């Protein structure tokens, strides 16, 4: 499976997730399918770090589209205090860039904490996901091991947070607040990656994110 095919799977599962979030918030299985999207995007960012000819231009591109996407993100999800996924991808890429060039791993935690504080989508979990793909790039078994550890920790924190706010810890509620762990299924697809680029539709994928959010907003507003 080449990079183009992985990106296609990521945007399709992301679209399904956002259709659920915006138009059918009570249909849980749509959100569950959507859990596959982010790890694939995170993996492709780490791959892009190794393969791009100019990492700084890559970071600049992510940041520009983060700014472009924020208004559609706000409109679609009515999110006043959160930032879209491009900010997370930018912070993750910047973190591994600094880690690579300074050999100082604290940049990972610093960018993760910044992501958490500013309300970037997935926060520190998102930055750490990108870092694991970068750090264990040559060892898929370690990728699986550390992604499992990260997702178990993330699910546990979500469950504890839910309980601390008075949420009832029924099996259904536990599964609902910890469903990000389903993202581990995406590792089966990543394992099939052959290192090839495939079709190059770079800006189509970049533009799809803000465009589909704005379209979903319009559908929700006028339905």
């Amino acid at each position: 499976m080449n990079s183009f095919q992985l990106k296609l799977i990521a945007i399709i599962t992301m679209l399904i997730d956002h259709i659920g979030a915006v138009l059918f918030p009570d249909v849980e299985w749509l959100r569950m399918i959507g859990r596959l999207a982010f790890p694939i995007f995170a993996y492709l960012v780490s791959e892009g770090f190794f393969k791009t000819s100019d990492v700084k231009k890559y970071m600049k591109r992510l940041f520009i589209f983060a700014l472009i996407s924020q208004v559609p993100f706000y409109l679609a999800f009515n999110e006043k205090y959160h930032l879209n996924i491009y900010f997370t991808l930018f912070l993750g890429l910047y973190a591994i860039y600094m880690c690579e060039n300074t050999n100082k791993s604290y940049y990972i935690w610093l960018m993760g904490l910044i992501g958490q504080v500013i309300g970037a989508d997935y926060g520190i979990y998102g930055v750490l996901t990108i870092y694991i793909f970068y750090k264990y790039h040559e060892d898929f078994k370690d990728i699986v091991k550390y992604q499992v550890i990260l997702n178990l920790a993330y699910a546990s924190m979500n469950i504890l947070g839910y309980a601390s706010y008075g949420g009832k810890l029924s099996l259904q509620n536990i599964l609902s607040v910890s469903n990000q762990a389903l993202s581990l299924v995406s590792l089966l697809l990543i394992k099939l990656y052959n290192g090839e680029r495939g079709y190059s539709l770079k800006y189509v994928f970049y533009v799809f994110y803000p465009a589909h959010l704005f379209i979903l907003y319009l559908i929700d507003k006028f339905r």
Side-chain angles (χ1 to χ4, degrees), residues 2-5 7-8 11 61 65 86 197-208:
N2 59 42
S3 174
F4 172 82
Q5 291 166 327
K7 286 179 183 177
L8 196 59
I11 66 168
R61 208 158 48 236
F65 275 93
Y86 272 125
R197 184 177 184 179
Y199 295 110
S200 179
L201 294 175
K202 179 169 62 178
Y203 285 101
V204 171
F205 287 114
Y206 279 103
V207 171
F208 179 84

Side-chain angles (χ1 to χ4, degrees), residues 45 56 58-64 66 85-96 111 127 130:
V45 164
K56 290 183 179 179
Y58 187 16
M59 286 191 288
K60 182 180 179 181
R61 208 158 48 236
L62 287 175
F63 188 70
I64 288 172
I85 197 64
Y86 272 125
F87 284 100
T88 311
L89 298 178
F90 166 78
L91 289 171
L93 181 59
Y94 181 76
I96 62 178
M111 292 302 108
V127 173
I130 294 169

Side-chain angles (χ1 to χ4, degrees), residues 3-159:
S3 174
F4 172 82
Q5 291 166 327
L6 274 179
K7 286 179 183 177
L8 196 59
I9 292 171
I11 66 168
I12 290 171
T13 53
M14 177 183 69
L15 176 60
I16 292 170
D17 181 41
H18 292 168
I19 288 172
V22 178
L23 303 178
F24 305 103
D26 295 326
V27 183
E28 187 69 23
W29 64 267
L30 294 173
R31 308 305 310 282
M32 293 169 69
I33 291 173
R35 299 310 91 209
L36 274 64
F38 176 72
I40 298 175
F41 285 125
Y43 177 75
L44 291 172
V45 164
S46 72
E47 276 294 293
F49 172 79
F50 289 111
K51 295 187 175 182
T52 187
S53 58
D54 193 328
V55 176
K56 290 183 179 179
K57 283 186 177 179
Y58 187 16
M59 286 191 288
K60 182 180 179 181
R61 208 158 48 236
L62 287 175
F63 188 70
I64 288 172
F65 275 93
L67 296 177
I68 291 171
S69 301
Q70 189 56 30
V71 171
F73 179 80
Y74 164 73
L75 292 173
F77 300 118
N78 194 27
E79 285 283 8
K80 296 180 180 179
Y81 306 110
H82 289 86
L83 299 177
N84 68 77
I85 197 64
Y86 272 125
F87 284 100
T88 311
L89 298 178
F90 166 78
L91 289 171
L93 181 59
Y94 181 76
I96 62 178
Y97 170 78
M98 293 302 296
C99 187
E100 180 82 6
N101 285 277
T102 66
N103 201 32
K104 295 178 179 178
S105 60
Y106 71 79
Y107 281 103
I108 306 302
W109 297 102
L110 178 60
M111 292 302 108
L113 288 172
I114 289 174
Q116 198 71 28
V117 170
I118 66 176
D121 214 2
Y122 290 109
I124 192 169
Y125 166 84
V127 173
L128 288 174
T129 298
I130 294 169
Y131 173 70
I132 289 170
F133 284 129
Y134 153 79
K135 177 69 175 179
Y136 304 105
H137 181 255
E138 300 298 331
D139 192 333
F140 188 75
K141 289 183 179 179
D142 275 348
I143 285 176
V144 172
K145 179 173 72 174
Y146 288 106
Q147 292 290 3
V148 168
I149 292 171
L150 176 62
N151 277 274
L152 287 175
Y154 187 65
S156 298
M157 292 300 293
N158 283 341
I159 292 169

